[in-house]
Amino acid sequence: MLTIALRTARTRWVTFVGSFLALALGVGLITTMGLGLAATLDAPRRLPERFAQAPVVVKGDDVLRVPVKGGQRTGRIAHPGPVTPELARRLADLGPTTEDRSFPVRPDDGPEQLVGHPWSVAAFAPYTLDAGRAPHSDDEVVTTGWAPTGARIGTDHGPVTVVGTVTERGFEDAVFFTDARAAHLSPAVDQLVVAADPTAVQDAVRALPGGQGAEVRVLTGRDRRYADPDPERDSEALLSVNAVLGTAGGVTGFVSLFVVASTFAFAVAQRRKEFALLRTSGATPGQIRRTVIAEALLLGVAASAAGCLLGAYGAPLFVSSLVDEGLAPRWFTLGDATWPFHLAFWTGLLVALAGAVAASWRAGRVAPAEALREAAFETRIMTPGRGLLGAGLLLVGLGTLAHALLADPSELLHRKTYIGRPMLFIVAFALLSPVLVRPLVRLIAWLPARLPGAGGMLIREYAAAGIRRTAAVAAPVLVTVALAGSLLGTTATLNEAKAAEIRQRTTADHVITAGPGGFDPATIERIRAVPGTEISSTAATTVHVLEEGTALIRSDARAADPRALARTTRLPLTAGSVTDLDDDSVIVTEEWERHTVGSTVEVWLGDGTRKALRIAAVMSIGTGGNGAYVTPANAPGATVDRIDVRVAPATDRRAVGAALAAAAKPAGGRVLTADRWTSENRPGTRRTTRAGLLLVLGIALLYTGIALANTLVMATSDRARDLAVLRLAGATRRQVLRLVAGESLLVVFVGAVAGTLVAALNLLGVRAALGLLHVRSGLVIPWDALTATFAACAAVAVAAAVVPAALSLRRGTVEGAGVRDQ
């Protein structure tokens, strides 16, 4: 059987080249994704940045620790407290201390995210002067190179002169003031650098009266990175990269199995006469099956080895592109893990064997004379097993969709769900494609078949007669179109739903957004004093709640005055009233474990304070971003960052807008009309999510191109006799090639229609979920992406069918029958 497999591979090299390329590419992609995943799992911990040279850093504890049965749960506190004067005095007795402060600086011309620090902390990064000198007076500063020495710059803290620059270190755009000026601009001490023994510092912290030591964190070694701005940004980036690579790897495995299985199935269908001759010469069904499996084994070993080699070269380039695009941290590199190579190789081999199993059973059932008697028109297009499996998967998909809609509609809006769920329907429709293809061909070709001439009729009949060929070509198109429509359509529909929520909730005439640092009380009072206006100022905060006794859930929240909030915002309430909110209550959403108006829920506020609050009102879940609402008393440390403004009737709106802009300008505030604010804050797909979707669709499109080219080259090569008959009937070479191209376009269109049906089914499930979640939004179908996908598939299909047909005609197949070219 191995000898026969080798000879078969040599004589039917077209079939094996396409399968080899598809499988090798799949293994290469799995290797690349696996090496990237290994790098995210084994990535080195981030080193300290701002305090790389600091001995000990003391700061308010920003970790919430909640004891539960069997351990504790932790969360991130949104507003940790500052270092108290009492603690600073105690630590000063142990050794020299340096006070650190961070505050926003808004220059007239410079970086948007500019942060101010006292000059004395610059040495701990370390920042070193590369030009000029240190600041000595209140109007002198040192910058990280974004402004040159000698420049005079206007800021929200007054004009300053740049007297020195330091080398930029990549993690912040900074401006350094004198220590006295920094203390005046930001009195609270954010962090304290202590030049003392860490153990002594720990003892001093624990000795604080009243348990205050539990609210302080002492950082040494690598833990000093927690004193940096946004210390979790690299971890979050790695999680995003991990999710993207995992999803892409899963799709690669799914599509490669699909393509290889489809290729083997079509190859077996084409070789029925060959297998019948082997059966006539005495081969048993088991020997036929072993021949097909031996071919798959040869293909799998060779393609998997080539794919691993391809992945070894491609992974560094892929990781480099992730870093260059800002999707991964600057220090992210490949490690020395070897398990991705083993995973990719054996996955490729198993994919090849799994794709050949079903084909081998079909090959073994060929009777000695069956294929020799079979007509060109295929009468048996669906085996019972394939039909039952396809129908079963379709019922399972519909059943799980219905269950999700009834039990938890919000689950359908999660990324893992809307990426994974289409796979079930894709496989079901692909298995049922032989049944779907013929009626779709008849429907789509109804008009062309009635046009003058025989071309349209011949195209329809050829496609309808060769159902296996038509289904094999349509299947990869179905996969790609269904993925493009489902993934891009779902993200676009969710974005539109979120935008609809924003529009429905905003009843203000103007929205004022703050720059870094938020609005100070003086600015809020200036805005409030503008005649003819009513304002609602809100601040971002968080609340944590312990659900089911074990899960610590964080919810984004906003702090607002309830009466002002009710006049400028329309919350999606399902129970209760906004005006019932007070200092002893909270507004929650229906996704909270406890969400009954009047009941009490225990929460941890943004500064870690534990408090029992009564539920004043309940909001619908919506798309998942409704959060919670508390009063300012329950958001200690939160800074107002948004002000909604209602303008009184019969008031000059232009004059009000100009007055609001003048009042907000000193704090860096932007005054926008409600429509413009809604437009600018229209939700979009995150860069990492978008990159992951494009990667998935790129893989699917690449595989589709390979599958189309492989199947059509195989099919067209076996149709030399059909082409000869057409030439004998009087068709010119151009007419024959137009017929081949038209049939290819028809089959691609059939696959596109079937894929669109799958995408529509998935999108209708998402739209039904949004309706159950009380979100009024339309369904967004990505016609541009679907059209582009169809065009790409059509171009590949036409080229892969026309070129072999043209070569077949030029080799004299037709001329040998006595027909000359016209």
Side-chain angles (χ1 to χ4, degrees), residues 56 94 194-203:
V56 181
L94 303 178
V194 186
D197 179 67
T199 303
V201 175
Q202 290 277 14
D203 292 340

Side-chain angles (χ1 to χ4, degrees), residues 409-431:
S410 63
E411 178 66 23
L412 295 176
L413 310 185
H414 297 166
R415 185 174 61 182
K416 289 184 178 179
T417 302
Y418 69 70
I419 288 179
R421 182 172 293 278
M423 307 300 179
L424 198 60
F425 289 119
I426 288 173
V427 175
F429 272 69
L431 289 173

Side-chain angles (χ1 to χ4, degrees), residues 501-515 517-520 523-524 527-528 535-540 558-561 564-565 568-571 625 629 638-645 664 669-670 672-674 677-678 681:
E501 285 183 316
I502 293 175
R503 289 193 298 268
Q504 294 164 9
R505 293 174 62 165
T506 305
T507 60
D509 298 300
H510 294 279
V511 177
I512 308 176
T513 57
F519 292 115
D520 57 85
T523 300
I524 297 174
I527 295 173
R528 194 187 304 276
I535 73 168
S536 172
S537 57
T538 61
R558 296 201 69 83
D561 175 79
L565 180 68
T568 60
T569 304
R570 186 188 300 112
L571 296 184
Y629 282 86
T639 305
V640 172
D641 58 2
R642 171 179 166 179
I643 300 176
D644 289 46
V645 182
R670 295 181 64 217
L672 304 173
T673 63
W677 181 85
T678 301
N681 287 271

Side-chain angles (χ1 to χ4, degrees), residues 535-557:
I535 73 168
S536 172
S537 57
T538 61
T541 185
T542 63
V543 293
H544 286 81
V545 62
L546 190 66
E547 295 189 352
E548 299 179 355
T550 57
L552 186 63
I553 307 299
R554 167 179 168 154
S555 294
D556 292 330

Side-chain angles (χ1 to χ4, degrees), residues 773-818:
L773 295 171
H774 311 289
V775 179
R776 298 176 182 176
S777 173
L779 192 64
V780 181
I781 299 177
W783 292 115
D784 292 345
L786 294 180
T787 301
T789 302
F790 170 77
C793 294
V796 173
V798 170
V802 170
V803 171
L807 293 175
S808 176
L809 293 176
R810 289 185 63 182
R811 281 197 298 264
T813 304
V814 180
E815 286 80 348

Side-chain angles (χ1 to χ4, degrees), residues 1 20 53 59 143 165 168 214 246 261 310 405 459 487 509 519 539 543 546 638 651 678 698 731 751 764 795:
M1 289 297 105
F20 177 89
Q53 300 296 324
K59 61 172 293 184
T143 69
T165 61
E168 193 268 335
L310 181 65
L405 290 173
I459 289 173
L487 301 186
D509 298 300
F519 292 115
V543 293
L546 190 66
T651 303
T678 301
L764 287 174

Side-chain angles (χ1 to χ4, degrees), residues 754-779:
T756 303
L757 292 176
V758 176
L761 183 59
N762 282 288
L763 293 178
L764 287 174
V766 172
R767 182 62 191 87
L770 290 172
L772 293 173
L773 295 171
H774 311 289
V775 179
R776 298 176 182 176
S777 173
L779 192 64

Side-chain angles (χ1 to χ4, degrees), residues 271-341:
R271 297 164 62 187
R272 294 179 69 83
K273 292 182 180 180
E274 175 186 327
F275 292 140
L277 290 174
L278 290 174
R279 294 279 286 116
T280 303
S281 62
T284 66
Q287 289 175 319
I288 298 294
R289 295 187 186 107
R290 287 196 293 273
T291 299
V292 175
I293 293 176
E295 293 171 355
L297 183 63
L298 290 173
L299 174 71
V301 171
S304 296
C308 288
L309 184 62
L310 181 65
Y313 284 99
L317 298 176
F318 179 69
V319 168
S320 178
S321 67
L322 290 177
V323 174
D324 293 341
E325 293 296 325
L327 301 176
R330 291 176 290 113
W331 48 263
F332 183 60
T333 57
L334 289 178
D336 55 359
T338 58
W339 63 262
F341 291 100

